[in-house]
Amino acid sequence: MASVSPAAAAAVSGPHHARLLLRSSPGRLPRPRQRPRARLRLAACHADTLLSSSSSPSEARAPPVTAVGPSAESATDCFVDWLRERGLPPGKVDIRERPVPCLREGKDRPLRYVAAGDDLQAGDVAFEVPMSLVVTLERVLGDESVAELLTNNKLSELACLALYLMYEKKQGKDSYWYPYIKELDRHRGRGQLAVESPLLWTESELDYLTGSPLKDEVVARDEAIRREYNELDTLWFMAGSLFQQYPFDIPTEAFPFEIFKQAFVAVQSCVVHLQNLKLCRLYRCGPQTNSRLVLNYGFVDEDNPFDRISIEASLNTEDPQYQEKRMVAQRNGKHAIQNFNVFVGKEKEAVAEMLRYLRLGCISDPDEMQSVLSSEGDTCPVSPCTERAVLDQLVGYLESRLAGYPTTLDEDEAMLADGSLEPKKEVATRLVRLEKKMLHACLQAATEFINDLPDHTVSPCPAPYAPELK
């Protein structure tokens, strides 16, 4: 049964600008140009995925299957009624809700999600959204050139949309978007376990991510959001055509940073980006790593085929042969600072690719360097002692990175099997557990390479200018 959050089903980002599936009301936003039966069509790729489809217009006119509705009158019914009153046609999915723990409020709050009434086959249209319900950043700002200027220089699309919704929220029930904004508030960017983005976690909760690169990314993202907050007044002065209708102070006086960050995270969790992707090849929220899914949506996908970790290798700038090595690296599509993506299930291939780069960095004999320069490809002299030096360096790095986690893989497995973890810690534990699995797979691959050496006990050659790994 396919399922996504209702907010994610109601927002999309296009090739250039983020879009929220909201309808422009008279006097608020310019009407979009009329297009015959324009639809944003979301279709299934497989049983648990909702994707955009490029189906034919004749298929669009086919009568949709009746959605499975809630059994009793609820706030969910009201929200669905509001959507349908504004042109959302029936489809094969429906908004449902289930109770989940929400410890911060001290009580359970239902989590709403979009689910299919029946299993969807690849290519089935799950539901359609009229393009008249889509609000683009150009429409919000009232000027395409202003939108381009802001998003190319100081403010992201998410920041602009978040500010727009914040001012709309200030109007309360007088806002045309009140039911939608209320739904965003209810959802609060929570994932499948009612977990918010780590951007809203407390400092002690962030410690659950110790050892994971995500922890540093959360800190960096928080700082970036703060920088955007400090630039919000620019939007106020440049887009007067939008904000002249709001009788409020300029942004940084009207909203404290924490309120802006909450709005930013809510918008971030319900915008699906389609940049540079074929509409028929999307995977749920797009091909994102689990760390990105946690950061943006608060959940981990245990079967995510796009999951990966990164290892950065950099040539030693103190090396007398640094320039020659940089030239060889560039000739083979690599850089002086190279990021290697280790995809889940492809760890051995990633290790083999890293070894070629590390061998280049470990060359110390000028004659060997000249031989590499004059040859084609990235072939470097390989000897058992050089190979052992390179592999030892990689093994040491992997062991050090694993030691940076406060728990072992076995301990993570035991905590998850116990089933008593609170939601945020469970999501964090699932994430670091998957990261450790990939690191252990890399370590196993490197060990196998060592065991394949002619004499795996050979002493490593000295490598005074070995590349740095981090």
Side-chain angles (χ1 to χ4, degrees):
M1 179 174 289
S3 65
V4 294
S5 74
V12 66
S13 173
H16 300 293
H17 296 288
R19 301 172 181 176
L20 292 179
L21 301 189
L22 305 170
R23 185 183 178 188
S24 59
S25 56
R28 286 289 176 86
L29 299 172
R31 288 182 177 275
R33 288 178 292 180
Q34 294 298 319
R35 296 180 181 177
R37 297 184 61 81
R39 289 282 192 269
L40 173 66
R41 316 191 73 217
L42 297 186
C45 177
H46 50 72
D48 63 350
T49 307
L50 295 182
L51 305 181
S52 292
S53 168
S54 54
S55 304
S56 66
S58 62
E59 289 175 302
R61 290 190 289 271
V65 174
T66 303
V68 179
S71 58
E73 183 70 20
S74 66
T76 299
D77 296 294
C78 297
F79 180 59
V80 172
D81 289 343
W82 181 81
L83 290 172
R84 289 175 177 166
E85 287 170 3
R86 282 147 185 82
L88 186 71
K92 296 182 179 180
V93 299
D94 190 47
I95 296 178
R96 300 178 180 178
E97 61 181 44
R98 61 183 176 84
V100 290
C102 199
L103 302 180
R104 183 173 295 178
E105 288 80 9
K107 60 180 180 180
D108 288 357
R109 299 185 65 189
L111 182 67
R112 292 175 182 161
Y113 61 97
V114 174
D118 299 299
D119 286 342
L120 299 177
Q121 303 302 315
D124 284 354
V125 175
F127 62 92
E128 299 177 287
V129 179
M131 292 305 292
S132 61
L133 287 174
V134 177
V135 171
T136 65
L137 194 61
E138 293 93 334
R139 294 178 201 166
V140 167
L141 297 177
D143 188 317
E144 183 174 354
S145 61
V146 172
E148 292 287 346
L149 178 63
L150 287 169
T151 57
N152 287 338
N153 290 277
K154 295 181 179 295
L155 291 168
S156 68
E157 301 165 326
L158 295 181
C160 296
L161 289 171
L163 182 60
Y164 171 70
L165 291 177
M166 288 164 67
Y167 276 112
E168 282 292 316
K169 182 179 178 180
K170 258 186 173 287
Q171 299 190 83
K173 293 184 178 180
D174 292 334
S175 170
Y176 187 81
W177 312 121
Y178 174 74
Y180 181 75
I181 294 172
K182 186 177 180 182
E183 181 64 19
L184 287 180
D185 279 348
R186 278 181 47 83
H187 200 265
R188 292 182 58 173
R190 295 179 292 163
Q192 296 163 347
L193 293 175
V195 174
E196 302 165 334
S197 163
L199 289 166
L200 299 179
W201 293 10
T202 65
E203 205 169 314
S204 60
E205 290 168 343
L206 280 179
D207 286 341
Y208 300 153
L209 296 170
T210 298
S212 172
L214 179 59
K215 186 176 182 180
D216 289 337
E217 190 173 350
V218 169
V219 173
R221 178 74 71 90
D222 186 83
E223 293 172 351
I225 294 174
R226 187 176 291 276
R227 286 194 298 271
E228 291 202 277
Y229 172 77
N230 293 332
E231 293 291 345
L232 287 180
D233 294 351
T234 302
L235 178 61
W236 171 270
F237 291 115
M238 293 186 68
S241 59
L242 167 66
F243 295 112
Q244 63 186 0
Q245 62 187 306
Y246 301 114
F248 306 120
D249 295 330
I250 61 176
T252 54
E253 295 179 5
F255 308 105
F257 171 69
E258 288 303 321
I259 296 298
F260 171 71
K261 185 166 72 169
Q262 290 173 18
F264 186 99
V265 170
V267 172
Q268 168 185 273
S269 71
C270 72
V271 172
V272 178
H273 296 271
L274 306 180
Q275 291 96 322
N276 302 319
L277 294 175
K278 294 182 179 179
L279 295 182
C280 60
R281 294 184 62 82
L282 291 177
Y283 176 80
R284 191 175 298 170
C285 303
Q288 302 184 36
T289 63
N290 274 320
S291 62
R292 186 66 53 179
L293 291 177
V294 172
L295 183 61
N296 290 340
Y297 313 109
F299 74 91
V300 170
D301 184 351
E302 296 277 353
D303 300 312
N304 185 355
F306 304 105
D307 203 17
R308 68 177 184 270
I309 57 174
S310 295
I311 297 176
E312 182 184 284
S314 56
L315 298 175
N316 192 325
T317 56
E318 301 297 321
D319 189 341
Q321 302 180 98
Y322 170 76
Q323 293 298 338
E324 290 86 349
K325 293 179 180 180
R326 184 175 64 85
M327 290 173 57
V328 173
Q330 290 178 341
R331 186 175 70 190
N332 292 281
K334 299 295 189 292
H335 304 282
I337 300 177
Q338 179 64 40
N339 187 66
F340 292 93
N341 287 322
V342 181
F343 287 90
V344 61
K346 303 287 185 180
E347 293 87 357
K348 189 167 186 177
E349 293 89 336
V351 168
E353 184 182 7
M354 281 186 278
L355 291 182
R356 291 193 288 270
Y357 188 88
L358 295 176
R359 290 184 197 119
L360 172 64
C362 286
I363 294 177
S364 57
D365 188 322
D367 291 335
E368 288 184 351
M369 191 68 248
Q370 288 304 312
S371 175
V372 173
L373 278 171
S374 61
S375 66
E376 295 183 359
D378 60 354
T379 302
C380 295
V382 178
S383 67
C385 66
T386 299
E387 197 73 349
R388 183 60 187 267
V390 168
L391 287 164
D392 279 357
Q393 181 191 10
L394 183 57
V395 166
Y397 163 80
L398 294 168
E399 290 176 340
S400 174
R401 186 158 166 177
L402 283 166
Y405 294 95
T407 57
T408 66
L409 184 56
D410 289 341
E411 289 170 335
D412 293 340
E413 299 279 7
M415 286 190 290
L416 291 171
D418 181 72
S420 61
L421 294 177
E422 63 97 356
K424 290 188 179 71
K425 189 164 186 178
E426 179 178 343
V427 167
T429 302
R430 290 187 182 281
L431 175 69
V432 298
R433 167 177 157 271
L434 292 171
E435 290 176 349
K436 292 172 192 174
K437 279 189 171 182
M438 285 185 275
L439 289 169
H440 274 289
C442 288
L443 186 58
Q444 180 180 354
T447 302
E448 289 175 0
F449 280 122
I450 290 176
N451 292 334
D452 288 341
L453 291 174
D455 181 0
H456 66 267
T457 62
V458 67
S459 298
C461 293
Y465 299 108
E468 181 184 4
L469 293 172
K470 64 179 180 179

